[in-house]
Each structure stands twice: as C-alpha cells, then as structure tokens.
Amino acid sequence: MKISCRKKIAVDSKKDAILIPVYKNIRSLRLITGKKIDDEIQKIIQSDYFNFEEKESKSFYLDVNKKLKKIYIIHIPKEQEDARFYMELGAKTASIFKNDKISSFSIISFEDIYNEKKDFSSTKAFLEGFMFADYSFENFKSKKTPENTFEAEVITAMPRLKKYIDDNAEQWNTVFTNINIMKDLINTPANHLTSVLFAEFVKSNSHSAMNISIWDENDIKANNLNLLYAVGRGSSNMPRFIHIQYNGAPETSKNIALVGKGITFDSGGSSLKPAASMTTMKTDMSGAALMFAVTKLIAELELKININTYIPLAENIIGRNALVPGDVITSASGKTVEILNTDAEGRLILADALYMAAKTDPEIIIDAATLTGACIVALGPFCAGLFSNRKFLSKQVSDISWEVAEDVWELPLFDGYEQGINSTVADIQNMSTFGREGGALHAALFLKQFVDNYPWIHLDIAGPAYLEKSHPIFGKEATGFGLRLLFQFLKIHYLEADNGRY
C-alpha cells in the first residue's frame, strides 16, 4: 500500500474517498477538513442518520471543489483504545472499500482526533489492519480479480506524526510484502510446493545478503540428519535441508538461530490421518514459511543482527520406504528415537534442525511449527502456544504479542511429564505414554531434548497459521501470523545499537 502524509485535506485531492473518525460531541475538525466538509459532518452526526450507540460507519457524497467526493465517517470511542481495536477497524474498512471499489483515500489520523501527541500507535495499527485485509490468493484461478494497490494519505496537523509516518511507511510496506510472501507459500497447494520446489523458491527469492545452502537427500544422509531423512524417504519428493546465513553485524560472533518446520504435505504417513484431516495439510510448512520471511525481512532492512535459519523440508506420506511405528532412528545428535506414531513427524525433523542450530553457539534458538492439534484444543484456533526454557523470554514474547495482536499463551514444560517420552527400547520416543493428554506439552518436551539448554523459544502455531474460521484482523486461510511478533521481539531485544519499535 502506498502511504503518504499531509497537513490538511486538499480540495483538489484525486483520492477516491475521505475517511473521518468521529465520536459523540467531537470538536470541530474545520482546521483539518475545511469548513464545508466539517459543517456537513456536524449535520450528519447530530441527526438520526448516525447512531452513536452502534459501531457503525456511514458514507455520503459531497461536492468538494466541484468534484463529487465520497466521505466515510466512522464511529470510534471517545477515549483512545489499544492498537488491536484500530487494526480490526482497518481490516473492516478495507473490506468496505473493496466492495465500494475505492482504491485511494485520505484519512484523518486518530491521533489528531484524540489530540494525542505522544503515542502514534493508533493510525499505524489501522493501516496494518487494512494491509492484512488487502490480500487475496488467486494464483490458481483462471479468472483473476484485477490487482488494486491501495493508496492511503494520512491527514495530520502534528509535525512529529507526519515525520513518523514518512520515516516508517516504506518499512511497513516491506513488512507486509514479506507477510504476503509467507501467506502465498502457505496457501500454495502441495503439488506446487514440494520440498524441492520450496528449496528452489527460497534460493530464487532471497535477498542478496542471504547466503543459502541447500542439502539434498545425499547431503542429509551424509550429515546424519537421519530423522529428517526417515520422515521424507517414503515420498518421491525427497527431503531438503536449508541453511540461511545473514551477517548483518559481522563485527560480532553473536547470532540468533531460527528453525521452521517444513512438512510440505502431511498424510500422517503409515499412521494415516482421516481423510478430512488431510484437507489443509499443505499448510504444515507454515513454520518454514515464517522463518524464511522473517530472515528475508531482516536482510532487506539491513538490520545489524546475525541470523542462522534452518529449514528442514519433507513430505510425510505412505510409501514402500516410509517410516513405520516401532522403527528406531538415530538422530543427528546421537540420541535414539523410537517411532510410535509416524503422524508425530514434525518434532522429528525439528529435532535434527535444532541440533544443527545449537552447534552455532547462538544467543537464542527460536522455532515455529504447526506442531500439534492438541494446542488448538487447548487454546483455540486464534492463539499460539508458547514454550520456553527461560521465564524471562516467555514474558518478553507475551508482552509484544499483545501489542501486535498476535496472541500467544505460555504453556508449561513440566519436568515430571518427561517420563511420558521415555522409551523402553531407545533414548526417547516421539509420542507420550500419557496418550492424548498434554499433547502439546509432550511435543515441546521432546524438542527440548535437542536444544542443549540454550535459551529457547518454541511457538506451536498449529491454530493461527491457517484459519478456517474468520479472524477479525487476519481473516481466513493463511494469516501471516508470527512475522511481526518475531520481528519486533528480535528488534527490541537482540538488535545491535537499535532497540526501537518498527
């Protein structure tokens, strides 16, 4: 979305519409809107046409400088709300504008309406919500909707707000360009995004500052990533392992390790899923898409941070050479794993990747995975499970989660539950003897065995990565969940010489 800023609504503006937030008994907006528009707004909001008891928006046409201009007035609370409110409002407005075929608009900033001169989060949140809703996936439709790039012009009398928007608009667009790349990957059918094709996409679409290394099945075997190979060996689409290096702070050896689960399709393998449960399993690579997009974003913004990103890719299907329950595989770390259920494959490929990540002596390891249905049962579809072996990390992520409206909830890593993954024939087993109880916890405890006690965050994004029920901000299908959360977390807590919010 093209974002610009000016001090006052221009009577000669070529924008399709003007968006004006109002609350009951709002003061005159004449200094920003001009007398004609303000007089008309005051008439409408004092009439029966506008009901302040409801959350509503109204539109009308007004002759502005001999041009018929569409004016939208939207009801907002008299007191400033948190960012989530304005994100939802932005998403709702984008839907209205699409329906009304509005492609460019001016909006009076919420900060000007509230006379809030310190916190500039509301207008930014509105634009973010708008950009989330301004996405569609039509790559495989024969008749596509014509592309429409929105133009937003923020009207503000505050010089500091104008500077803030002018300084940050390009970065916001870069963030959402990568969110949309992530969404496209998740929405793409599995036959168009196999492990091999995913690896090729990463190589072709990476920033020049990203050093890409891709291992094929022979490299994977040679480097003893046996769990990854075992999961993918049943498919004709052989597994791949991607290592991405970005050295934005070459003067230091400090680095962050990112790991993303990349199961490009999950049938459950020999422990076959029910047919209905396979419908959305093209999305089981959402963690991989997230970590690629985060790394690409950081590289494009040239942030002073060193990143090592590990993406294990495999297709988990039935085949003559596929894993079967009872197999014992030696992981890259040397730990032996008994396979009780081949549908618990995500933790297997992550185990080898986490071991590789720990070898680089990182400050922190962060993994993201659509790992367990149990997490959705516990938290519902809109919230991710958060696990960490450091309490302060959980607090840091949770605080940012609320700010960016990407919900997480900390779940425990109870030591007493580790007995559930102890095997009688191997070091550990990939399913718990507790049965279905605490499934997300046992999966996280399995992963914990491979991080060598490095500071570690595990995000189980099985719920919010891809939604079948509409979210008020992210809508349905691929959501882009996690990119803004991790970007903000890394920028605040690990970026060399810059702790600002984007």
Side-chain angles (χ1 to χ4, degrees):
M1 182 165 70
K2 184 179 178 181
I3 302 170
S4 59
C5 206
R6 67 187 307 154
K7 294 181 180 179
K8 186 176 180 180
I9 289 176
V11 294
D12 60 346
S13 172
K14 295 181 181 179
K15 299 294 184 286
D16 297 335
I18 301 170
L19 184 63
I20 303 175
V22 298
Y23 54 80
K24 196 169 186 179
N25 300 322
I26 190 170
R27 70 189 189 283
S28 170
L29 300 172
R30 187 172 298 183
L31 292 177
I32 300 175
T33 65
K35 182 178 184 303
K36 186 172 186 177
I37 295 177
D38 184 56
D39 287 348
E40 196 66 30
I41 290 171
Q42 293 298 333
K43 287 179 188 175
I44 289 173
I45 63 179
Q46 291 171 22
S47 71
D48 293 336
Y49 179 64
F50 200 85
N51 184 359
F52 279 101
E53 301 304 316
E54 299 176 5
K55 293 181 179 179
E56 67 171 355
S57 66
K58 293 286 188 182
S59 64
F60 59 94
Y61 283 95
L62 184 65
D63 183 354
V64 180
N65 198 34
K66 298 182 180 180
K67 290 184 179 179
L68 206 59
K69 190 74 64 176
K70 195 161 191 180
I71 313 290
Y72 291 81
I73 52 176
I74 51 174
H75 176 211
I76 58 172
K78 190 168 185 177
E79 301 297 327
Q80 199 166 16
E81 295 281 343
D82 59 44
R84 184 177 306 242
F85 174 88
Y86 301 97
M87 287 184 70
E88 291 185 13
L89 190 61
K92 186 183 298 183
T93 302
S95 298
I96 293 171
F97 280 9
K98 283 182 179 180
N99 187 62
D100 291 353
K101 295 182 170 51
I102 299 295
S103 61
S104 62
F105 63 97
S106 301
I107 174 174
I108 297 178
S109 85
F110 297 96
E111 288 77 13
D112 281 82
I113 297 298
Y114 292 119
N115 197 28
E116 175 53 67
K117 299 179 180 180
K118 296 180 181 179
D119 181 4
F120 296 155
S121 62
S122 299
T123 298
K124 171 179 175 284
F126 176 89
L127 294 171
E128 286 181 317
F130 198 101
M131 286 189 277
F132 267 116
D134 181 25
Y135 170 85
S136 60
F137 184 73
E138 298 185 351
N139 295 15
F140 297 93
K141 290 186 177 181
S142 56
K143 293 183 179 180
K144 296 179 175 61
T145 305
E147 287 192 19
N148 178 30
T149 301
F150 278 102
E151 293 184 19
E153 178 184 69
V154 178
I155 308 299
T156 178
M158 299 180 185
R160 285 182 60 239
L161 176 57
K162 183 179 186 306
K163 184 177 187 308
Y164 172 73
I165 292 173
D166 288 341
D167 289 348
N168 289 282
E170 184 177 348
Q171 185 177 121
W172 300 340
N173 274 312
T174 303
V175 168
F176 275 87
T177 295
N178 285 284
I179 285 174
N180 290 343
I181 287 172
M182 177 183 165
K183 287 183 177 183
D184 282 350
L185 286 168
I186 296 168
N187 283 327
T188 297
N191 63 320
H192 291 272
L193 196 67
T194 64
S195 50
V196 175
L197 292 174
F198 194 119
E200 290 176 357
F201 180 90
V202 167
K203 191 167 186 177
S204 300
N205 292 275
S206 290
H207 187 271
S208 59
M210 298 162 66
N211 181 30
I212 311 296
S213 173
I214 299 174
W215 288 354
D216 65 15
E217 65 271 25
N218 295 318
D219 299 318
I220 288 168
K221 286 191 289 184
N223 286 276
N224 299 315
L225 305 188
N226 300 317
L227 291 172
L228 171 59
Y229 179 72
V231 170
R233 73 190 185 200
S235 172
S236 59
N237 298 305
M238 285 286 100
R240 292 291 183 265
F241 185 73
I242 303 173
H243 178 205
I244 305 172
Q245 287 181 295
Y246 167 70
N247 294 319
E251 67 280 0
T252 178
S253 61
K254 293 179 180 178
N255 73 98
I256 307 297
L258 305 178
V259 179
K261 174 188 170 184
I263 296 294
T264 57
F265 186 77
D266 183 18
S267 72
S270 300
S271 305
L272 193 65
K273 294 177 183 289
S277 299
M278 292 188 213
T279 307
T280 60
M281 284 300 102
K282 66 179 183 180
T283 70
D284 212 13
M285 35 56 68
S286 297
L290 167 58
M291 293 313 194
F292 168 64
V294 169
T295 310
K296 183 171 178 288
L297 172 62
I298 288 170
E300 288 174 348
L301 296 178
E302 300 179 349
L303 299 190
K304 295 182 181 299
I305 190 171
N306 297 325
I307 301 286
N308 280 290
T309 299
Y310 302 87
I311 300 175
L313 296 164
E315 191 173 69
N316 185 34
I317 62 173
I318 295 175
R320 293 172 62 186
N321 203 27
L323 269 177
V324 295
D327 284 354
V328 174
I329 308 294
T330 302
S331 69
S333 72
K335 287 187 174 73
T336 55
V337 180
E338 181 185 11
I339 311 302
L340 297 186
N341 188 319
T342 64
D343 195 23
E345 85 299 328
R347 66 200 71 180
L348 299 178
I349 70 170
L350 286 173
D352 279 348
L354 288 169
Y355 168 75
M356 295 295 292
K359 291 173 68 176
T360 62
D361 190 28
E363 287 187 89
I364 185 174
I365 301 172
I366 307 172
D367 80 76
T370 46
L371 202 62
T372 66
C375 196
I376 303 175
V377 172
L379 300 176
F382 295 165
C383 185
L386 166 65
F387 299 84
S388 180
N389 58 0
R390 304 290 195 277
K391 291 295 291 184
F392 74 92
L393 291 175
S394 296
K395 173 82 165 55
Q396 289 173 352
V397 174
S398 296
D399 289 347
I400 295 169
S401 163
W402 179 254
E403 288 182 17
V404 300
E406 296 185 0
D407 293 322
V408 302
W409 193 261
E410 184 182 8
L411 294 172
L413 291 166
F414 290 139
D415 292 342
Y417 284 4
E418 288 185 350
Q419 62 181 297
I421 58 171
N422 291 334
S423 170
T424 58
V425 299
D427 294 329
I428 53 176
Q429 59 195 28
N430 77 327
M431 286 293 286
S432 168
T433 53
F434 285 51
R436 297 176 63 85
E437 297 175 2
L441 281 64
H442 286 103
L445 286 167
F446 181 93
L447 298 181
K448 183 172 176 277
Q449 310 301 310
F450 299 90
V451 297
D452 199 21
N453 202 36
Y454 278 96
W456 166 63
I457 292 168
H458 162 55
L459 291 173
D460 191 333
I461 59 173
Y466 184 93
L467 296 174
E468 296 181 79
K469 295 179 180 178
S470 186
H471 186 279
I473 297 170
F474 309 122
K476 294 178 71 173
E477 300 183 334
T479 62
F481 181 94
L483 186 145
R484 291 159 57 255
L485 174 66
L486 291 182
F487 176 60
Q488 190 80 316
F489 171 74
L490 293 174
K491 198 166 187 287
I492 292 172
H493 296 291
Y494 290 91
L495 184 60
E496 294 293 319
D498 183 1
N499 289 328
R501 283 164 164 73
Y502 83 97

